[in-house]
Amino acid sequence: MAPTDDNEPAVRHTASPTASPPHARRPADDGSAERPGRRMPRWLPRAMVLALALIASFQLGSWAFHQLTGLLINILIAFFLALAIEPAVSWMAAHGMRRGLATFLVFLGLTIVAAGFVTLLGSMLAGQIIKMVEGFPGYLDSVINWINETFHMELRRVDVQEGLLHSDWLRKYAQNSAAGVLDVSAQVLGGLFQLLTVGLFSFYFAADGPRLRRALCSVLPPARQAEVLRAWEIAVDKTGGYLYSRGLMALISGVAHYILLEALSVPYAPVLGVWVGLVSQFIPTIGTYLAGALPMLIAFTVNPWYAVWVLIFVVVYQQFENYMLQPKLTSKTVDIHPAVAFGSVIAGTALLGAVGALIAIPAVATLQAFLGAYVKRYTVTDDPRVHGHRRRDPGRPGAFMRVRLLWGRRPGSQESS
C-alpha cells in the first residue's frame, strides 16, 4: 500500500532521527538578513577612540617637554646648587638663625665673590685691550720694517692704514658687527633672565628644603619615606663634597699659577690666578686649556718665551693634579673611579651640554652610593688571579724557556751545536 500525504512527515521524522527540529533550522539566506561575521565588534570603536587619545596625549606631552626643556634644565641646575649650599644653610640654621635668612646670607656671599671676580676680570681685559690698541702702531711699524728688510720692499704705515680703512672686508665686518649688536644684547638679556631663574629656584629649594621633603614624603608609605630621605642625604653629601673639594683644588691651583705669573712679572697676576683656578676646576675636560690660554696670551705680550714657560707649567701642574692631588682630595667626598668619572662627564655633555658635564660626577656618585647600600657583597676568594697573577702549571715551562726551546730547534742552531 502506497504511503499517503498525511503520514509522509511522520515517515521522514522516523527515517532521520538525528535531523534538527523544524524550529532550529536556519532560515534561507535571501540577502535580507545580515551575517553575524560582518557585524562590527562592540569593543572596536572604544579601542580606536582610546588609541587616538593615547597618540594625542603622547604628541601633546612630547611638544610640552620640548617647549619646557630650558625650564627643566634650569630647575635641575637650581636643585644641585641648593644641594651644594645645603650643608652651610643647615649649619647656620642649627645655630639659631632662620633658614630663609641663612640662605640669603649664603647667596649674598656668593654674589659678592662672583661680582668681584667679574669686575677684576673685566678691568684686566679692558686694560689689556687698551694696551694693545695703544701699542698697535709700534707693532705695525716693526712688522713693516721686517717685511721691507726681508723682501726689499718700500711699504709705509700710512699706505697700510689707508688700505685697511678702505677695504671691503673692513666695511662688511663693520656692517655685520652692527647687525649683531641686537643679537648679542638679546643673548645677554636671556642669560641674565636664566641666571635669575636659577637663583630664584635654588633659593626656594634651599630655604624650603624641610618643607619640600615633608611634602614629598607625605605621598609615600613609611618604608619609602626612609629611602627617599636617605637618598636626599647622600645627594647632599656627595654634591657638597664634590663642590667643596673642587673649590679647594681651585684655591691651590690659583695660588700656584699666581706665584709663577708673579715671578715672571706678568701683569694682573692675582686675577689670572683666580681665573685659572676657577675655570680649570669647574669646567670639566676642557677647562684646563681654556684657563691656560688667557695667561699665555698676556704673558706673550710681555715676552714670547714667558708664554712657553706658562704652557709648560700648566701641563706639568695638570699631571700633578690628576695623579696626586685630586685622588687624595676626592677619595673621601666623591669616591668614584676616574674612568667612571670621565665616562659620566662625556655622557652628561652629550645629554645636557656644559650643564651635564658639571653635574654628571655628583649625580653618578650619588647613584653609586645609593645603589651600593642595597647591593649584597661577598668575601672575595683568596685566588692569585684576583691580584692579577696568572695560575701556572708547575710542569709547564715558562715563556722564556719555550722561546729557548723553539730557538734550539732551528736547523742553523743544530748545525752550529
Side-chain angles (χ1 to χ4, degrees):
M1 182 176 177
T4 60
D5 295 338
D6 296 336
N7 56 7
E8 184 176 357
V11 173
R12 291 179 180 176
H13 181 69
T14 306
S16 58
T18 60
S20 302
H23 63 274
R25 296 178 182 176
R26 296 179 58 187
D29 189 4
D30 55 354
S32 59
E34 186 180 0
R35 292 183 179 179
R38 296 180 180 178
R39 184 178 301 171
M40 181 182 296
R42 296 181 178 179
W43 56 268
L44 185 58
R46 298 179 181 176
M48 295 176 62
V49 172
L50 181 60
L52 292 176
L54 290 176
I55 294 175
S57 300
F58 175 77
Q59 294 292 336
L60 181 61
S62 177
W63 172 81
F65 178 78
H66 286 293
Q67 294 295 324
L68 298 176
T69 301
L71 178 61
L72 295 177
I73 292 177
N74 291 336
I75 293 176
L76 183 62
I77 298 173
F79 180 71
F80 273 93
L81 182 59
L83 291 179
I85 66 174
E86 176 75 18
V89 174
S90 299
W91 181 83
M92 296 173 69
H95 286 75
M97 186 178 296
R98 294 180 56 185
R99 193 173 183 88
L101 180 59
T103 307
F104 173 76
L105 292 178
V106 173
F107 270 91
L108 181 61
L110 293 177
T111 304
I112 293 174
V113 172
F117 173 71
V118 172
T119 302
L120 292 176
L121 184 63
S123 64
M124 180 196 68
L125 292 178
Q128 290 301 120
I129 292 173
I130 294 173
K131 183 178 179 181
M132 291 177 64
V133 170
E134 292 177 351
F136 181 75
Y139 293 142
L140 185 60
D141 289 338
S142 62
V143 172
I144 290 174
N145 293 331
W146 179 80
I147 293 175
N148 291 333
E149 293 176 358
T150 305
F151 300 100
H152 304 286
M153 300 178 65
E154 296 181 357
L155 292 177
R156 294 184 305 173
R157 188 176 69 181
V158 178
D159 298 335
V160 175
Q161 289 178 352
E162 290 181 355
L164 290 175
L165 291 176
H166 295 88
S167 62
D168 296 335
W169 173 82
L170 184 61
R171 186 177 66 254
K172 292 180 180 179
Y173 179 77
Q175 293 176 357
N176 295 331
S177 300
V181 170
L182 295 177
D183 296 337
V184 173
S185 301
Q187 292 180 0
V188 170
L189 292 177
L192 292 176
F193 180 76
Q194 184 178 4
L195 184 62
L196 180 62
T197 303
V198 171
L200 186 63
F201 275 106
S202 59
F203 180 84
Y204 285 143
F205 284 152
D208 294 339
R211 185 183 304 176
L212 180 61
R213 286 191 287 269
R214 285 196 299 268
L216 184 61
C217 292
S218 63
V219 296
L220 297 174
R224 299 295 181 183
Q225 293 179 13
E227 295 179 1
V228 169
L229 294 176
R230 183 175 184 178
W232 191 293
E233 184 178 0
I234 292 175
V236 170
D237 293 338
K238 295 299 180 179
T239 305
Y242 170 74
L243 292 180
Y244 294 152
S245 62
R246 286 289 176 178
L248 183 58
M249 287 191 295
L251 178 62
I252 298 174
S253 176
V255 171
H257 287 84
Y258 163 73
I259 294 174
L260 173 69
L261 297 174
E262 189 68 26
L264 295 176
S265 300
V266 177
Y268 304 101
V271 183
L272 290 176
V274 175
W275 163 265
V276 173
L278 293 179
V279 175
S280 64
Q281 299 303 323
F282 291 99
I283 298 181
T285 308
I286 62 173
T288 303
Y289 307 103
L290 293 177
L294 185 59
M296 287 175 55
L297 179 62
I298 297 178
F300 184 82
T301 60
V302 179
N303 190 339
W305 285 105
Y306 288 175
V308 178
W309 284 111
V310 172
L311 176 61
I312 294 174
F313 183 82
V314 168
V315 173
V316 173
Y317 181 82
Q318 184 66 25
Q319 304 304 317
F320 165 75
E321 180 183 283
N322 291 337
Y323 293 101
M324 297 186 64
L325 185 62
Q326 183 175 354
K328 293 182 179 180
L329 292 178
T330 60
S331 60
K332 297 181 180 180
T333 56
V334 180
D335 193 15
I336 185 173
H337 195 272
V340 178
F342 183 71
S344 63
V345 169
I346 294 177
T349 305
L351 292 175
L352 298 176
V355 176
L358 185 61
I359 67 176
I361 294 180
V364 172
T366 302
L367 182 62
Q368 178 181 347
F370 183 73
L371 295 179
Y374 297 95
V375 176
K376 186 177 181 180
R377 298 184 180 273
Y378 300 92
T379 304
V380 180
T381 180
D382 190 9
D383 196 312
R385 290 172 292 185
V386 175
H387 305 285
H389 304 293
R390 296 181 59 187
R391 179 179 293 178
R392 297 177 55 183
D393 189 3
R396 184 180 179 182
F400 181 71
M401 184 61 66
R402 290 199 300 269
V403 171
R404 290 188 60 183
L405 291 176
L406 291 175
W407 183 267
R409 293 177 184 176
R410 295 181 60 187
S413 61
Q414 292 178 358
E415 291 177 0
S416 61
S417 60

